[in-house]
């Protein structure tokens, strides 16, 4: 009687174990669109490495810290989480540089980093504003300021929305020339 019960329970237990293992292996993989800041930043890093730097953990970490010093916004936050900024409380740069020195792709490195700190894969870029088609008068001042911040510009003395719009339109040919041309063409067609 015990053998009969054991023979029924054993296959079910085996199936349950296989299901749990399968669930864990698929959960660890990042999905398309996840870890976008991590993947893009590490792709930039890996593509900027010279041949003599690619196998050297120390050189990869040095280049990473150099890129982090210039990073802004979400990329700076990513660097903070990994430990590439001066004020970072953690330091898992080695978890990034070792696999990078082996030639591991950015998305796989991000998978490994997300196991250490889940916040890394929660970072997403802000939605980009389509400067060609947007009616700037309908944007919030906060969004207008974001456009200027993205260009590393400020609007000193701007008190009203129209001041920010004027500053953006003044700087657009320098920072977004295609958008400036398209907007000028649209005005000329009217």
């Amino acid at each position: 009687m015990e053998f009969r019960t054991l023979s029924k329970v054993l296959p079910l237990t085996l199936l349950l174990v296989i299901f749990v293992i399968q669930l864990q292996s698929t959960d660890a993989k990042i999905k398309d669109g996840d870890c976008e800041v991590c993947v893009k930043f590490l792709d930039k890093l890996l593509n900027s490495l010279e041949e003599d730097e690619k196998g050297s953990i120390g050189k990869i970490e040095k280049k990473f810290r150099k890129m982090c010093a210039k990073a802004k916004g979400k990329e700076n936050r990513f660097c903070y989480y990994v430990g590439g900024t001066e004020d970072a409380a953690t330091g898992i740069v080695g978890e990034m540089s070792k696999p990078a020195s082996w030639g591991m792709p950015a998305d796989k490195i991000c998978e490994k980093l997300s196991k250490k700190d889940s916040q890394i894969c929660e970072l997403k870029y802000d939605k980009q504003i389509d400067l060609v088609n947007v009616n700037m008068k309908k944007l919030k001042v906060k969004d207008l300021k974001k456009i200027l911040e993205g260009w590393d510009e400020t609007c000193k003395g701007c008190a009203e929305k129209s001041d920010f719009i004027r500053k953006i339109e003044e700087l657009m040919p320098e920072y977004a020339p295609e958008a400036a041309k398209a907007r000028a063409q649209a005005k000329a067609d009217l």
Side-chain angles (χ1 to χ4, degrees), residues 167-181:
K167 183 72 171 180
I168 290 169
E169 287 175 345
E170 174 186 313
L171 294 171
M172 197 180 292
E174 181 181 343
Y175 292 103
E178 285 83 29
K181 286 178 188 173

Side-chain angles (χ1 to χ4, degrees), residues 95 99 102 104 107-117:
E95 299 293 327
W102 304 331
M104 187 178 285
D107 60 330
K108 296 294 181 189
I109 296 171
C110 291
E111 274 181 36
K112 287 182 169 286
L113 291 174
S114 71
K115 290 177 186 173
K116 298 287 182 184
D117 188 349

Side-chain angles (χ1 to χ4, degrees), residues 7 16 21 23 30 36 39-40 52 56 60 63 75 79-80 86 92 94 100 111 115 148 154-155 160 162 172 176 188:
S7 67
L16 183 63
I21 290 171
L23 185 65
I30 59 173
E36 69 176 312
V39 171
K40 281 189 178 182
D52 65 318
S56 170
I60 292 171
K63 188 100 169 206
E75 291 181 346
C79 289
Y80 175 81
E86 294 290 323
I92 56 171
E111 274 181 36
K115 290 177 186 173
L148 291 171
T154 57
C155 191
E160 297 181 18
S162 60
M172 197 180 292

Side-chain angles (χ1 to χ4, degrees), residues 28-43 78 106-115 117-125:
K29 294 180 182 177
I30 59 173
K31 296 171 191 85
D32 197 30
D34 285 350
C35 290
E36 69 176 312
V37 175
C38 177
V39 171
K40 281 189 178 182
F41 192 81
L42 290 183
D43 270 338
F78 165 71
D107 60 330
K108 296 294 181 189
I109 296 171
C110 291
E111 274 181 36
K112 287 182 169 286
L113 291 174
S114 71
K115 290 177 186 173
D117 188 349
S118 63
Q119 297 178 90
I120 289 170
C121 279
E122 293 170 4
L123 289 171
K124 297 199 181 301
Y125 288 109

Side-chain angles (χ1 to χ4, degrees), residues 67-81:
M67 283 180 67
C68 285
K70 297 175 185 174
K72 295 193 182 318
K74 303 291 182 176
E75 291 181 346
N76 181 269
R77 181 60 34 192
F78 165 71
C79 289
Y80 175 81
Y81 291 153

Side-chain angles (χ1 to χ4, degrees), residues 44 57 73 90 106 116 147 178:
K44 276 196 284 187
I57 294 170
T90 61
K116 298 287 182 184
I147 292 170
E178 285 83 29

